[in-house]
Amino acid sequence: MRILHTSDWHLGRTFHRVNMLDAQTDFIGHLVATVREHAVDAVVVSGDVYDRAVPPLAAVELFDDALHRLADLGVPTVMISGNHDSPRRLGVGAGLIDRAGIHLRTEPSACGTPVVLADAFGDVAFYGLPYLEPALVKDEFAVEKAGHEPVLAAAMHRVRADLAARAPGTRSVVLAHAFVTGGEASDSERDITVGGVAAVPAGVFDGVDYVALGHLHGCQTLTERVRYSGSPLAYSFSEADHRKSMWLVDLAADGTVTAERLECPVPRPLARIRGTLDDLLADPALTRHEDAWIEATLTDPVRPADPMARLSERFPGTLSLVFAPDRAPDDPDVTYARRLAGRTDRQIAEDFVAHVRGAGPDQRELTVLGEAFDAVRADATVREVAR
């Protein structure tokens, strides 16, 4: 069976205030053309279809167009909700849409109920594990501690139990939206850390033939059977070096996996440039970036006059301007923002305790801080989904 694995469309997202709808529309066209050109048997979309729980109307219309075009091809599609999606909204009409060959899996309780497709060699069971917010699904999976690993392990227990009851030789594909150990993150993924832990080990998914992951925006191979497709478009300058693509996966009769990377169209290249303003304006080596979207980091010791206007004369696609003068770390003029760069909210809170009291939090206080941050994040998730 030939499977096209994609994820993290983030329909409705902008890029530094640039509307990405045209680029997203081009991607959907590319997706449909790829399905036709490569004789794909099934499409899997591993979450974050939308960028937020209540997407703009234009994004909903684009999603509707994508569903119609995939259904017209007669190629089954399996989709799950991600941490940016509202499961209830994305899953509206799932039973009816199912009849058109578009299978939306947004309910945690259905993790062990697959979409079963067949080829010349028998059945392939597709199990959809939507993003499982630990605090919200802990009771559903009867786990004592709200964490990503125990929740996903319980969901995979249901998958393996169902698979064991099926005919020998039934092949299996799992769609999941999670941060799996070994994956490389970028700046554009929303933090899903619980209890100080974001990642789960790839071993959680043992026992199935292929795991189609979503959440991380870089295309990655964790093992031959466990892969991220990544997002089809770049959504932060941290993705400037990404090759945006999808996986074309061939699942053989014996469950052997072979995969080929298929490139996605690039609306405009990204570039990160760094130096003093005068150097950036004069450096001939930067000519190749003049048509790119630019993040410029200025290292001038004093902020120059009108830097954005002057940069835009040479680089019209300048979208982000960062001021980071080259100074020693102990320079009193080093900004507060630079001192906090790369630190999590929890680490900043711990530093604050140490600053005020003269000593960092003890183990009991670390637990309280962790629980507080987890509760706030879970509450924010509930509020967004309930909108």
Side-chain angles (χ1 to χ4, degrees):
M1 182 170 287
R2 175 161 284 184
I3 301 162
L4 186 64
H5 167 200
T6 178
S7 72
D8 295 273
W9 295 356
H10 289 278
L11 301 182
R13 188 163 184 158
T14 60
F15 182 78
H16 289 268
R17 301 177 302 282
V18 173
N19 191 320
M20 297 293 286
L21 188 64
D22 287 346
Q24 291 172 337
T25 300
D26 289 344
F27 163 69
I28 295 300
H30 171 73
L31 172 73
V32 172
T34 300
V35 171
R36 186 185 296 112
E37 177 186 349
H38 291 274
V40 169
D41 298 306
V43 176
V44 297
V45 186
S46 299
D48 282 353
V49 174
Y50 291 123
D51 188 56
R52 53 183 185 268
V54 185
L57 179 59
V60 177
E61 290 173 339
L62 180 55
F63 178 60
D64 180 66
D65 178 62
L67 295 188
H68 277 84
R69 294 172 73 178
L70 289 169
D72 287 344
L73 291 176
V75 176
T77 299
V78 184
M79 296 183 170
I80 60 173
S81 50
N83 62 300
H84 280 251
D85 299 310
S86 164
R88 292 172 63 187
R89 283 187 171 81
L90 188 63
V92 167
L96 185 62
I97 296 172
D98 202 74
R99 301 178 193 176
I102 307 293
H103 308 283
L104 299 174
R105 293 296 182 262
T106 64
E107 292 294 332
S109 59
C111 285
T113 305
V115 175
V116 181
L117 306 177
D119 63 10
F121 304 106
D123 288 345
V124 180
F126 289 77
Y127 296 90
L129 278 57
Y131 173 67
L132 302 174
E133 173 59 49
L136 303 183
V137 302
K138 174 170 81 76
D139 293 339
E140 165 65 34
F141 291 103
V143 297
E144 294 183 4
K145 184 178 179 181
H148 290 293
E149 184 173 352
V151 164
L152 272 170
M156 282 301 301
H157 177 75
R158 294 186 185 183
V159 168
R160 284 187 281 267
D162 180 86
L163 190 58
R166 296 188 175 273
T170 298
R171 289 157 291 162
S172 54
V173 175
V174 165
L175 290 72
H177 196 86
F179 191 162
V180 178
T181 302
E184 183 177 343
S186 63
D187 292 344
S188 53
E189 299 111 8
R190 182 180 295 170
D191 181 30
I192 60 171
T193 302
V194 175
V197 178
V200 300
V204 165
F205 299 104
D206 286 351
V208 296
D209 293 310
Y210 184 70
V211 181
L213 293 174
H215 180 57
L216 299 184
H217 287 185
C219 183
Q220 300 171 61
T221 299
L222 303 186
T223 74
E224 287 304 305
R225 296 183 183 274
V226 182
R227 299 171 187 263
Y228 282 101
S229 69
S231 61
L233 297 166
Y235 292 115
S236 73
F237 278 103
S238 66
E239 301 169 54
D241 295 329
H242 286 189
R243 285 173 51 215
K244 295 302 183 181
S245 54
M246 301 178 286
W247 286 114
L248 186 66
V249 177
D250 285 316
L251 189 60
D254 62 356
T256 301
V257 169
T258 56
E260 177 187 359
R261 249 180 115 170
L262 302 180
E263 305 285 335
C264 290
V266 178
R268 195 164 178 173
L270 307 185
R272 284 175 142 172
I273 60 177
R274 181 186 181 95
T276 66
L277 179 58
D278 288 343
D279 286 347
L280 296 182
L281 294 176
D283 189 349
L286 299 180
T287 301
R288 68 186 189 279
H289 297 315
E290 288 179 353
D291 293 325
W293 277 326
I294 297 289
E295 178 185 73
T297 300
L298 300 184
T299 60
D300 301 74
V302 177
R303 186 185 298 268
D306 300 321
M308 180 63 86
R310 293 167 64 188
L311 276 168
S312 296
E313 289 181 5
R314 183 181 185 189
F315 306 103
T318 303
L319 300 180
S320 176
L321 183 60
V322 179
F323 186 61
D326 287 332
R327 292 172 177 157
D330 58 351
D331 189 313
D333 289 332
V334 171
T335 67
Y336 181 68
R338 289 185 67 190
R339 292 199 300 271
L340 297 185
R343 301 187 67 74
T344 67
D345 289 345
R346 181 171 170 176
Q347 289 171 329
I348 292 168
E350 293 170 8
D351 289 348
F352 176 76
V353 172
H355 173 73
V356 171
R357 195 171 58 190
D362 59 26
Q363 189 55 53
R364 182 185 64 82
E365 291 166 334
L366 287 172
T367 299
V368 170
L369 278 172
E371 291 173 348
F373 278 106
D374 289 347
V376 169
R377 191 185 52 78
D379 182 65
T381 301
V382 172
R383 288 174 181 274
E384 183 171 1
V385 170
R387 287 173 59 196

